[in-house]
Amino acid sequence: MKRVMNFLILILTGVSVACQKPDPKPADPIKPADSSKLELVWKTPLASGNSSISSFNPIAYNGITAFAGVTSTTQTVQAFDVQNGQKKWELAVCNGIGDNPIGQNFMIAECENEMSVVNLDNGQLSWYYKVDGGMPRLTIINDLIYHRQGGPGLRMPYMHLVRSPLAQAQWDTVFTLYRDSIGGYTPFIESPTLWINPQGEEVLLFQNRSWNFDTSDGKIDFYAYNLSTQKVQFILEDIDPSGNSNVVTPLVDGNYAYFLGARSVSCIDLLEGNVVWQNLFYGDGAHALTSNLLIVGNKLIVKQDHDLISAFDKFSGDEEWIRGEVGFTPSHMAYHDGIIYYTADGDGKLFAVNASNGRIIWAEDSPNEGEVPASFNGGVAIDPVNRLIFVADRYYAMAFKLPER
């Protein structure tokens, strides 16, 4: 276990087991190549009067693109026609910012302790729920909403993992973790993902990011909970040496799961319940707290918070390539047709990176930068049918053409 100095970081945000990790390689910065200015299809203001508004993880759905945007006082969800940017609808929801998962024809706007279930077809509020115990940290699995619900007080004696159908609020408790059962650490269950084991049983995979107030110590445990047998299949305790982690759901690929710690990435054999390999990130800013993981072929793509992006062999953990000058504080990455897309809040740029070698294709500023103090932020959504990429720059929602391959 590793002591963590800032408890708020824990809440809000190679060493090899099966093979020897090669010596760390220095960053290999490659200057942007094949550069071409983005071809703008349309842009639409996100707020009136050139007001600034931050967005988070836009989505593409059935002919629309939707952005959840937050100002100092309000949060709205806005939907635009993918072809021309005409606003289809707008709905005021809770004040805050969080993930925006979708399932069926619903999107969930998540705030600090609230969720608004929005019908994407008409922009109407389907239902609203206020969560006890703070941020819900939502995910949708098989049209069921999962979130965490904590016990009373800062040192919560327990935390529930609960779920409800998308269509209506009908909650039931799936799993409960008690502080007394984990050595006095306060439990913080994060969003689960699903693995179907060879027996056809549904197994939830999630992490518990726990904190011990008495010893000021953080501990990250990885759980596999079998929904069919209602039993814990295995636990990997203290999986990250830093005692901190990313809050994205584990990434499942066959009978393996990939997990992001604050300074590590791990491959977990779900059949054996052990860590196959783990690689550590070194150096100032070498955390991985803001982005997600991608699998492209046999490569596992990791974007650290500083200006590096790495590709590892997903089977062995060997480093395939590493590139520098690729943006600070990245959004979640999206992949299409050999290219990785993301925005970098620290640089205000939209990046497109070749997945095969890490070569930068785009590193573009917003075309609105001279008109307003614009900078790309909040991630991207991709429409592969119309070959469009949707992104915001704090002032405008925009659509650009995807590059031809």
Side-chain angles (χ1 to χ4, degrees), residues 42 44 46 57-68 77-89 107 120 379-383 386 388-392 397-400:
W42 55 258
T44 303
L46 285 167
N57 284 353
I59 62 171
Y61 163 82
N62 195 28
I64 65 169
T65 179
F67 292 78
V77 180
Q78 302 179 59
F80 306 95
D81 187 288
V82 298
Q83 298 285 1
N84 55 31
Q86 179 182 355
K87 186 179 289 188
K88 305 291 285 187
W89 50 260
M107 184 189 88
L120 288 168
V380 303
I382 292 174
D383 180 347
N386 296 296
L388 296 171
I389 181 170
F390 307 107
V391 63
M398 289 168 285
F400 297 97

Side-chain angles (χ1 to χ4, degrees), residues 265 279 298-300 302 310-314 317-320:
V265 60
N279 285 332
N298 290 334
K299 295 182 179 67
L300 178 72
V302 182
S310 307
F312 301 99
D313 183 288
K314 69 178 184 180
D318 292 341
E319 189 176 83
E320 296 284 322

Side-chain angles (χ1 to χ4, degrees), residues 92 212 258 285 316 333:
N212 191 310
Y258 296 89
S316 67
M333 299 178 288

Side-chain angles (χ1 to χ4, degrees), residues 170-317:
Q170 187 178 338
W171 299 99
D172 67 273
T173 299
V174 177
F175 178 77
T176 301
L177 193 58
Y178 295 93
R179 185 180 64 202
D180 291 345
S181 70
I182 53 175
Y185 284 79
T186 297
F188 278 90
I189 297 172
E190 295 294 345
S191 302
T193 192
L194 188 68
W195 168 55
I196 306 297
N197 69 16
Q199 292 74 43
E201 298 168 333
E202 295 186 335
V203 181
L204 290 179
L205 308 175
F206 56 89
Q207 61 168 307
N208 175 45
R209 305 170 81 230
S210 55
W211 180 261
N212 191 310
F213 284 87
D214 296 325
T215 61
S216 298
D217 187 60
K219 186 163 78 82
I220 310 300
D221 300 330
F222 183 95
Y223 281 73
Y225 178 74
N226 192 310
L227 286 170
S228 302
T229 64
Q230 297 184 348
K231 293 181 179 179
V232 173
Q233 193 158 308
F234 66 84
I235 305 172
L236 298 174
E237 294 192 24
D238 212 9
I239 190 171
D240 182 82
S242 74
N244 197 2
S245 66
N246 194 305
V247 300
V248 295
T249 58
L251 179 60
V252 176
D253 183 61
N255 292 320
Y256 295 89
Y258 296 89
F259 176 77
L260 262 180
R263 284 182 174 267
S264 69
V265 60
S266 304
C267 173
I268 300 167
D269 186 327
L270 298 174
L271 296 175
E272 299 296 328
N274 59 28
V275 175
V276 180
W277 56 260
Q278 181 180 85
N279 285 332
L280 305 181
F281 310 137
Y282 301 95
D284 293 339
H287 304 93
L289 292 171
T290 62
S291 191
N292 58 334
L293 291 170
L294 288 179
I295 288 179
V296 179
N298 290 334
K299 295 182 179 67
L300 178 72
I301 310 297
V302 182
K303 177 67 185 81
Q304 293 93 336
D305 296 350
H306 64 0
D307 66 342
L308 294 182
I309 188 170
S310 307
F312 301 99
D313 183 288
K314 69 178 184 180
F315 300 110
S316 67

